[in-house]
Amino acid sequence: MDFEIKIGLETHVELLTDSKMFCGCSTKFGSPPNTQTCPICLGHPGTLPVINKKAINYTIKVALALNCKIANFTQFHRKNYFYPDLPKGYQISQYDLPVGLNGYLDIELDGNKKRIRISRVHIEEDTAKLIHFGKTGRISEAVGSGLDFNRSGIPLLEIVSAPDIENVEQAKAYVVLLKRILEYLEISDCNMEEGKFRIDTNISVRKKEDIYSKVRTELKNLNSFRFLEKGLSYEIKRQKEILSKGQKLYMETRHFDSETMTTKPMRVKEVAEDYRYFPEPDLVPMIIDKKWVEEIKKTIPELPYRRAKRIKEQYNLPNNDVQIITSTKEMADFFEFCAKTYPYPKKISNWITGDMLYYLNQEQIQIEECKIKPQNLVEMLRMIDKGLISGKIAKSVFKDMFKTGEMPETIVRRKGLEQISDVEKISNIIDEVINGNPDVVKQYLSGKEQVLAFFIGQVMKKTKGKANPRIVNDILKKKLKRMSF
Amino acid sequence: MEKISIEDVKHVAKLAELDLTEEEINKFVDQLNIVLEHAGKISEIDTSGVEPTSHAIDFKNVFRDDIVKKSVNKEDALSNSQKIVQDLFELPLMIEE
């Protein structure tokens, strides 16, 4: 049976402002509960919200980066519904006049470009945080619940894609790229564990011939890339199976259970959603004129796709390297800082995509958090070029730099790791090795040239890896050649 | 003009989490229809050529700068809660939605 899959993603992003959307309370994460509140974000009657201009600037910035049209006239609406995390009984959100409309994001998969349309980018306020007590912290097993209003009123961006996504891989590529762009824009730290980047999905599977079917499932609680993949895969499979049996799907909201890696239905809504949106009477509309848009445009940095393209061309690097280097803005910055003062970009790239990435993954940290700065790496590369240290020693120097942040010279001097390039010194050591292994010499002279590696190994052992391998190789060959006469 | 029905009132009551008696529902149907009828007089005015507006005052772009102000202290924030648990507003037991 042929199926058609349509996936739309709704992404919520907490903005990186210092104060909340409509009041001056701090947005700092992780403070003791209910210490960053005031009558406005607690939803007391008679209080008046005032719009945080930076949040609007950030919304325009994101909308522009996602190729949206910026509304000249935009305003807030009240979205009315009852839930404990919403003290006013309504959320201040946007409805038919959002800041950004009709944009797109081009994702790339296996060299193929695919355009995902962005329906809208709007700004709203986050709700309070529900905390459930019980063994698991999940609502189904909660023995009690409480509310922390520190999150209430934090500026929350909503980015809605059109249902243009056709499979799990595309969904993942979209989310990864979107997150990367938002990080480049420096409007959110997008920390998924702290709930600052949250994904909801709409999935619709239908038989190809069933062109009128508009049934879709909303899937919530996909709080990591892995859960997004698992949740979508499970849901697509489930819907296909139901259709294959000739049964019908119906509209519902499902919750992803990260323990079983399956999706479970939430309570089926008896009445259709009815939010009774109306223009927020406490906030006047906004006019975003050309001048304002131009000002924001100037603050948009080179975005990942363009930067990757430029880095590839400017430094002549393979795709794989470019992909890793531009995976975060900070890593690309690190690379380009090095490339400014050191002439061999591929060598820089080799270290970043090799040892650097290895240790970053091992420590589970980002490049900007690690102790190695571009100067450290550049100095080390220069030392290798000058023959002061060997490539192998450099690996251990790098490891030390990663731990301590010291300059490579300091480490080399402290540990006595300078490469031995002194011809006479190396020559003496080679003599020792040759004289100590007459049998192996015989083998070599009888034509078994691969034993050369044995001699090199011995010299390295005696010098603790510090002998310059090129010089060792040259002298060794000369000496053995002389013996064959 | 369209009239508000018993069903409309029931629907709105449900959305507002209100339990109404039959008597109250009937009362509100009548009252709301009077309100609606009164508001409906507006449609007698010729508004062709008038831009739709959502606010009575002609203000635009009222903003504040992104500056953190002092929040209220925790005790004051929680003082309106009937029950407090671990510095949180305690809720009645929730069922999964």
Side-chain angles (χ1 to χ4, degrees), chain A residues 18-20 23-25 34 37 44 51-53 75 83 140 145-147 266 274 280 283 285-287, chain B residues 11 15-17 54-55 59-64 66 68-69 71-72 77 80 87-89 91 94 96-97:
Chain A
D18 292 330
S19 67
K20 290 185 179 179
C23 63
C25 289
N34 293 308
T37 71
H44 285 212
I51 303 168
N52 183 337
K53 186 164 188 193
Q75 67 179 3
Y83 205 66
S140 54
S145 305
L147 277 172
M266 293 167 87
D274 184 352
E280 171 57 65
L283 295 168
M286 294 167 279
I287 304 283
Chain B
H11 175 66
L15 291 170
E17 307 263 313
S54 52
H55 293 74
F59 277 19
K60 302 277 187 312
N61 293 8
V62 178
F63 299 112
R64 43 173 271 271
D66 182 31
V68 175
K69 295 231 171 97
S71 293
V72 299
N80 283 315
D87 289 338
L88 303 166
F89 291 77
L91 296 169
M94 291 177 72
E96 188 155 18
E97 213 191 338

